[in-house]
Amino acid sequence: MTRVLLEATDRQIVELLAVDGRMSYTDLGKATGLSTSAVHQRVKRLEQRGLITGYGASVDHDAIGLPLTAFISITPIDPSAPDDYPERVRHISEIESCWSVAGEESYILKVRVATPADLEDLLARIRAAASVSSRTTVVLSTPYENRPVT
C-alpha cells in the first residue's frame, strides 16, 4: 500500500473520527472551521479513497462475558505446507485479529474468551484446524488499546 499524504484539514478529520466515529458532520465542521456540507464531502472523499475503511463500536469485553484476552503465536508443524493458516482458522469466532509476522512464529492471533478452560479448548481447536504449534501469552491488564491516529 502506498503512503498517502493528507492535507492538514483531512488529517484533522481522520483524527477526530478515529477518536469518535459517531461525531456529527456539524461537530466536525465546528472543530475544523468548515461548513457541514464541506465536511460531509471531505469525509465521503476520504471513504472513497479508502483512507476511512469503516466505523465501529468500542466494546467492553468484560461486560459481555469475554474478560480473558490472549495472544497466540502459531508456527507450522510442517514448514513445507501451504501458507493458508488464516483461512484454516477463519471460522473460529474467538479469534479477533490475525497478523502475519516476521520472526520465529508465522502468525499472531488475538483472542477473547470467558475462562482459562475456554482458552485451553480454543488452543486445541486452533492446533487441530491449522496443524500448528502455538505459544500463548495471557493479557493481565490493558492500560490502553486501539489508540487513535495522531
Side-chain angles (χ1 to χ4, degrees):
M1 182 174 169
T2 9
R3 185 176 167 99
V4 177
L5 294 177
L6 288 178
E7 70 160 272
T9 304
D10 284 347
R11 179 170 295 285
Q12 187 179 10
I13 290 169
V14 169
E15 289 173 359
L16 289 165
L17 288 173
V19 172
D20 179 4
R22 295 176 50 127
M23 191 174 210
S24 71
Y25 294 129
T26 302
D27 289 340
L28 283 168
K30 288 177 186 173
T32 59
L34 297 173
S35 70
T36 301
S37 63
V39 167
H40 183 260
Q41 289 173 353
R42 283 179 180 254
V43 169
K44 290 299 173 200
R45 212 170 24 244
L46 289 165
E47 291 170 346
Q48 289 167 349
R49 291 174 55 198
L51 298 173
I52 296 175
T53 59
Y55 303 87
S58 294
V59 175
D60 180 344
H61 291 92
D62 290 349
I64 63 168
L66 298 172
L68 197 157
T69 302
F71 292 95
I72 302 170
S73 301
I74 61 173
T75 306
I77 291 172
D78 178 3
S80 66
D83 186 2
D84 60 353
Y85 304 102
E87 287 307 313
R88 292 184 195 186
V89 298
R90 184 176 299 278
H91 67 281
I92 301 174
S93 62
E94 294 92 340
I95 300 173
E96 182 177 297
S97 303
C98 174
W99 296 285
S100 175
V101 296
E104 287 186 37
E105 292 86 9
S106 297
Y107 293 91
I108 296 177
L109 310 174
K110 179 180 179 184
V111 303
R112 296 193 191 262
V113 294
T115 67
D118 292 334
L119 179 58
E120 187 174 22
D121 173 68
L122 175 61
L123 288 167
R125 289 187 287 132
I126 289 170
R127 289 182 195 124
S131 188
V132 293
S133 62
S134 65
R135 185 172 53 96
T136 303
T137 302
V138 174
V139 175
L140 299 177
S141 70
T142 306
Y144 52 84
E145 182 178 34
N146 298 326
R147 292 171 55 171
V149 176
T150 56

